[in-house]
């Protein structure tokens, strides 16, 4: 069966097509992505602007055309923090669903964390033991921990790289004052959930998903002779400080850092550093599967039930 997953995120609108069957591993066959950066169109009143709505609708139209062109049999559309938190998000989604005949659903932060955890568990298998899974998105940070396919703890915080960049980072290079404000915000938010996670510090493996963390792993590989498949706490500490000293143009020239991500990678690095330090994580291992794969796996499980 040919499945399509439509991910309306804070940074991108991403269509992923996979061929699969009951009991089979989802096989990616087609990808289409547009960098929309929805967070840039959300006002101080937490409303998605008319321009943002228009651009989103254009993206949705093109994605559906791409999906049809490859003969997708089932489309699974979902939205994350940007539309979840916009005051007019429900209205925008209702209009999109009616006009494009789809069923775009908003995932809660906890649902995001659980689905990402499921994907990591299936990727690494039961032998990997207790997992702690960390995902840094554009609008939010998700963490989940457990020994089964459903985590024991799943949390979401408003610590996404795009959100933090927009709210806190000023100047080019970013000013020391804005960096301090950013780091204070990260520490303050993490304090809210540390008690629920601290007892899980002895997880067998700490897992990293998302484009931000994959990019940081690549930088660790290039700068500190790593494998590109992991991030150590020492490496992320050095990376975050080094990135903060660079201007945006210099960051955009780094391998694996797109122009869109060049502004956000600093915030993402400091979130990763803070999480690893506070939870005493020595190393994060990169997982190729994340939220989109979790949505596919969950749907397949439901179909087979």
């Amino acid at each position: 069966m040919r499945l399509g997953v439509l991910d309306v995120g804070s940074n991108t609108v991403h269509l992923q097509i996979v061929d699969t069957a009951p009991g089979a591993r989802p096989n990616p066959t087609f990808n289409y992505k547009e960098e929309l950066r929805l967070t840039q169109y959300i006002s101080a009143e937490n409303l998605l602007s008319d321009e943002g709505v228009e651009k989103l609708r254009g993206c949705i139209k093109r994605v559906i055309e791409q999906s049809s062109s490859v003969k997708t049999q089932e489309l699974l559309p979902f939205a994350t923090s940007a539309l979840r938190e916009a005051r007019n998000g429900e209205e925008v989604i209702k209009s999109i669903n009616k006009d494009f005949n789809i069923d775009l659903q908003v995932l809660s932060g906890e649902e995001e964390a659980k689905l990402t955890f499921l994907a990591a568990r299936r990727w690494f298998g039961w032998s990997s033991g207790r997992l702690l899974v960390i995902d840094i998105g554009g609008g939010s940070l998700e963490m989940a921990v457990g020994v089964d396919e459903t985590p024991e703890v799943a949390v979401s915080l408003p610590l996404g790289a795009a959100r933090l960049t927009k709210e806190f980072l000023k100047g080019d290079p970013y000013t020391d004052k804005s960096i301090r404000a950013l780091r204070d915000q990260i520490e303050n938010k993490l304090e809210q959930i540390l008690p629920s996670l601290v007892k899980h510090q002895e997880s067998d493996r700490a897992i990293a998903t998302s484009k931000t963390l994959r990019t940081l792993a690549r930088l660790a590989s290039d700068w500190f002779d790593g494998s590109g498949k992991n991030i150590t706490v020492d490496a992320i500490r050095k990376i975050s400080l080094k990135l903060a000293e660079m201007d945006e143009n210099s960051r955009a020239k780094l391998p694996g850092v797109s122009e869109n991500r060049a502004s956000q990678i600093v915030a993402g690095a400091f979130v990763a550093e803070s999480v690893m330090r506070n939870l005493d994580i020595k190393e994060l291992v990169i997982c190729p599967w994340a939220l989109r794969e979790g949505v596919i796996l969950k749907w397949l499980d439901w179909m087979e039930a």
Side-chain angles (χ1 to χ4, degrees), residues 97-112:
N97 284 339
K98 178 182 177 182
D99 293 345
F100 295 102
N101 194 30
I102 62 174
D103 187 23
L104 180 62
Q105 298 287 324
V106 175
L107 297 180
S108 70
E110 183 178 338
E111 286 172 330
E112 280 192 62

Side-chain angles (χ1 to χ4, degrees), residues 51-172:
E51 181 184 6
V53 172
E54 183 179 351
K55 287 182 178 293
L56 174 60
R57 290 175 65 88
C59 279
I60 297 293
K61 180 176 184 295
R62 290 186 290 274
V63 162
I64 291 174
E65 290 171 349
Q66 292 290 326
S67 177
S68 297
S69 73
V70 293
K71 298 179 172 55
T72 303
Q73 294 169 274
E74 186 80 30
L75 185 65
L76 311 176
F78 67 88
T80 54
S81 64
L83 284 179
R84 181 169 68 229
E85 296 173 16
R87 284 169 48 203
N88 57 340
E90 184 176 349
E91 174 187 341
V92 170
I93 290 171
K94 184 177 180 180
S95 174
I96 286 173
N97 284 339
K98 178 182 177 182
D99 293 345
F100 295 102
N101 194 30
I102 62 174
D103 187 23
L104 180 62
Q105 298 287 324
V106 175
L107 297 180
S108 70
E110 183 178 338
E111 286 172 330
E112 280 192 62
K114 288 181 176 180
L115 289 166
T116 304
F117 184 89
L118 171 63
R121 169 59 72 197
R122 294 281 178 91
W123 180 267
F124 286 102
W126 294 108
S127 62
S128 55
R130 180 182 291 276
L131 300 182
L132 170 63
V133 179
I134 299 166
D135 184 287
I136 302 173
S140 58
L141 161 72
E142 276 73 45
M143 291 187 285
V145 64
V147 294
D148 298 318
E149 292 197 336
T150 299
E152 298 159 20
V153 177
V155 296
S156 178
L157 291 173
L159 294 177
R163 177 201 298 270
L164 292 173
T165 301
K166 179 182 177 182
E167 292 181 357
F168 291 95
L169 295 180
K170 312 297 180 185
D172 188 25

Side-chain angles (χ1 to χ4, degrees), residues 18-59:
V18 300
D19 288 338
T20 191
R25 168 178 166 166
N27 179 38
T29 58
F30 180 80
N31 272 285
Y32 178 80
K33 179 170 67 175
E34 292 191 22
E35 292 188 343
L36 180 57
R37 302 178 73 174
L38 269 180
T39 51
Q40 299 300 314
Y41 299 99
I42 295 180
S43 68
E45 293 76 30
N46 211 25
L47 290 169
L48 182 62
S49 69
D50 290 343
E51 181 184 6
V53 172
E54 183 179 351
K55 287 182 178 293
L56 174 60
R57 290 175 65 88
C59 279

Side-chain angles (χ1 to χ4, degrees), residues 3 84 110-111 123 129 147 164 182 210 221-222 233 244 249 259 269 282-283 287 292-293:
L3 291 177
R84 181 169 68 229
E110 183 178 338
E111 286 172 330
W123 180 267
V147 294
L164 292 173
L182 168 76
S210 78
S221 174
D222 290 343
V233 67
N249 185 55
E259 184 176 345
K282 298 297 189 293
E283 178 185 67
C287 178
R292 286 186 291 276
E293 288 78 13

